[in-house]
Amino acid sequence: MSQESPLSEPVIYHGKKFIVLSDWDGTITTQDSNDFVTDTFGMGRSDRFALNQRIRNGEDNFRDAFRKMIVSVVENGKEEGKVKHTFEFCKNAVANNIKVDDTFKAFYEFCETNDIPVVVVSSGMEPIIRAVLNKHLASLDGIQIISNEVKTYGDGSWDIQYRHPESGFGHDKSKAIAPYRNMQPAPIVFFFGDGVSDLSAARGATCLFVKFKPNGENELMEYCIMNKIKHRLFQSFEEAQGVMKLIIFAETEEEQQNIIAREWPEVA
């Protein structure tokens, strides 16, 4: 971790055959909470979508673009200089409007039963994630979350505290994968993501699951196609669990590798 970031180091799981790392917003949740806040209280969907496209195309970075979105929420909520869209206001709005994939709980329990750690790796802010988790998945409150934090100020304004402020990603998710890829023997790393915040993790996972979103905001899928990165689309954790079972319960390592090669083919 950089010296500029005081956020705690994540727990590393040793001696596991499989690890699940998953993005939160738009992957475990059915809608991205950061997009929701920006679209509803900030710059709006059109400008936010344009920024995401610039990130995907390498014309801007996530760290700076996301901060612009947050600034737009704070500034747009001012009335006579007073901040209306405080962090507590936005956190409560997210908790009351954002839902989770209704198959995630069963997926988590399946992983727990089979000794597979599940870690949330998010470019959002932990207090917002916890607010949604406590409302919809309170029984999973012990799940490890590797994310950014938030800074609040006396005038009601707020800002994001990035885990890796020196990185253009703000939170470089590849750093969560690296300890597992460097182990001997290395576990199979399943990574789940959907958007521009997951670009740094795309090349690091053994098996990359990309959430397909009918609304057309499929930046991670588009990025993988553009860069010929192997990935498998999924729409629910129930669907992904079925594919994972094939690998987890394979009788030999050779069979596992054959299944991975079949389910994650080369990108033409």
Side-chain angles (χ1 to χ4, degrees), residues 10 167 188 222 256:
S167 166
I188 290 176
E222 293 164 358
Q256 284 181 343

Side-chain angles (χ1 to χ4, degrees), residues 34-46:
N34 304 310
D35 291 353
F36 167 77
V37 169
T38 303
D39 295 356
T40 308
F41 307 118
M43 64 177 63
R45 183 182 184 276
S46 179

